């Protein structure tokens, strides 16, 4: 198997052309602007992969992890842009990133080899007063036996390495919901395994816990078997 690791929401950067749209600068530093801590974890795992890719453009400019038809492709800050301006964002940021990753997967897949794709994300510990009871979420298509097998392996390895981690399947989101991995598994069928790894953002604020999490996740991924 070939392992690729990506991070779609690694930063909160806004190109100069669009900075005037964001009068509320503070929102870019919140969980709405990017996935806090995700890029740090991504960087700690890079040496494991055949290919890695990431984006530091804020999801509030254009949402790289949503399909073109999704209502949240553009945020309230960019929905008011003209059709031409939106097309420019799609061509310049969305398609550049997604096509690059998709083309690499296409190149890596062979008759003998399939691709395992780990997409690194993070989630806010509390959303709408709801406390998320999870440390690490593994999102996958439960009807796909290959993805289910990889998710089970990761959870079992993490438990063996450190039983304190609360690892949950398809939480706090469903693996079959719209996303980049959802699109890619339809594009490549049985030759592609896509798992979204969702990390609780509370660890990004605790250096020792964050380091422990990164080390344990690194070891668990090392133990993956086809």
């Amino acid at each position: 198997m070939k392992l690729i690791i990506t991070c779609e929401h690694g930063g909160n950067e806004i190109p100069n052309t669009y900075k005037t749209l964001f009068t509320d600068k503070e929102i870019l530093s919140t969980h709405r602007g990017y996935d806090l801590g995700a890029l740090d974890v991504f960087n700690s795992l890079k040496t494991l992969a055949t290919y890695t890719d990431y984006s530091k453009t804020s999801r509030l400019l254009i949402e790289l992890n949503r399909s073109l038809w999704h209502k949240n492709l553009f945020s309230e800050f960019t929905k008011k842009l003209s059709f031409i301006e939106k097309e420019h964002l799609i061509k310049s940021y969305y398609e550049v990133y997604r096509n690059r990753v998709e083309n690499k997967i296409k190149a890596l897949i062979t008759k003998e080899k399939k691709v395992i794709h780990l997409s690194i994300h993070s989630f806010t510990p509390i959303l709408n007063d709801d406390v998320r009871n999870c440390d690490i979420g593994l999102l996958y298509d439960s009807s796909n036996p290959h993805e289910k097998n990889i998710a089970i392996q990761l959870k079992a390895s993490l438990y063996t390495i450190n039983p304190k981690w609360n690892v949950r399947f398809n939480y706090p989101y469903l693996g079959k919901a719209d996303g980049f991995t959802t699109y890619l598994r339809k594009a490549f069928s049985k030759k592609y395994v896509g798992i979204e790894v969702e990390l609780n953002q509370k660890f990004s604020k605790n250096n020792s816990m964050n380091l422990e999490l990164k080390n344990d996740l690194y070891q668990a991924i090392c133990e993956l078997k086809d």
Side-chain angles (χ1 to χ4, degrees), residues 4-8 42 52-54 97 101 117-120:
I4 75 166
I5 302 177
T6 66
C7 183
E8 284 66 52
F42 164 84
T52 63
D53 214 327
Y54 67 96
Y97 177 81
V101 175
H117 174 199
L118 300 181
S119 178
I120 309 299

Side-chain angles (χ1 to χ4, degrees), residues 79-96:
K79 278 181 179 177
K80 56 190 174 184
L81 292 173
S82 69
F83 174 81
I84 292 175
E85 289 172 314
K86 288 179 178 177
E87 282 295 300
H88 177 73
L89 289 179
I90 291 170
K91 297 291 183 185
S92 301
Y93 299 95
Y94 184 93
E95 289 185 352
V96 166

Side-chain angles (χ1 to χ4, degrees), residues 16-153:
N16 289 332
T17 307
Y18 303 99
K19 283 186 176 178
T20 55
L21 297 174
F22 296 86
T23 53
D24 180 6
K25 304 297 182 184
E26 292 184 3
I27 198 166
L28 292 170
S29 298
T30 70
H31 70 93
R32 293 196 59 210
Y34 71 117
D35 282 357
L36 284 76
L39 189 62
D40 178 42
V41 174
F42 164 84
N43 284 327
S44 72
L45 303 174
K46 285 170 65 173
T47 57
L48 294 173
T50 301
Y51 172 75
T52 63
D53 214 327
Y54 67 96
S55 171
K56 293 178 72 176
T57 302
S58 175
R59 65 199 304 173
L60 292 176
L61 184 72
I62 187 167
E63 172 57 272
L64 300 182
N65 201 40
R66 293 287 175 262
S67 295
L68 291 173
W69 51 259
H70 199 279
K71 64 178 182 177
N72 293 328
L73 177 67
F74 297 102
S75 70
E76 68 267 31
F77 303 99
T78 52
K79 278 181 179 177
K80 56 190 174 184
L81 292 173
S82 69
F83 174 81
I84 292 175
E85 289 172 314
K86 288 179 178 177
E87 282 295 300
H88 177 73
L89 289 179
I90 291 170
K91 297 291 183 185
S92 301
Y93 299 95
Y94 184 93
E95 289 185 352
V96 166
Y97 177 81
R98 288 179 57 128
N99 289 348
R100 193 167 63 222
V101 175
E102 183 176 358
N103 289 337
K104 189 63 179 182
I105 292 172
K106 189 182 297 183
L108 288 173
I109 286 176
T110 66
K111 289 183 178 180
E112 297 80 23
K113 297 289 184 181
K114 65 171 174 249
V115 163
I116 293 180
H117 174 199
L118 300 181
S119 178
I120 309 299
H121 295 264
S122 69
F123 61 92
T124 182
I126 302 174
L127 183 65
N128 300 325
D129 297 324
D130 179 30
V131 178
R132 266 86 172 266
N133 181 27
C134 179
D135 296 328
I136 304 168
L138 301 176
L139 314 187
Y140 66 99
D141 180 359
S142 58
S143 68
N144 184 317
H146 301 291
E147 292 190 358
K148 185 176 182 179
N149 177 50
I150 295 298
I152 289 172
Q153 282 189 56

Side-chain angles (χ1 to χ4, degrees), residues 168-180:
R168 297 182 63 175
F169 293 141
N170 288 319
Y171 183 93
Y173 312 105
L174 294 178
K176 63 182 181 181
D178 181 58
F180 196 19

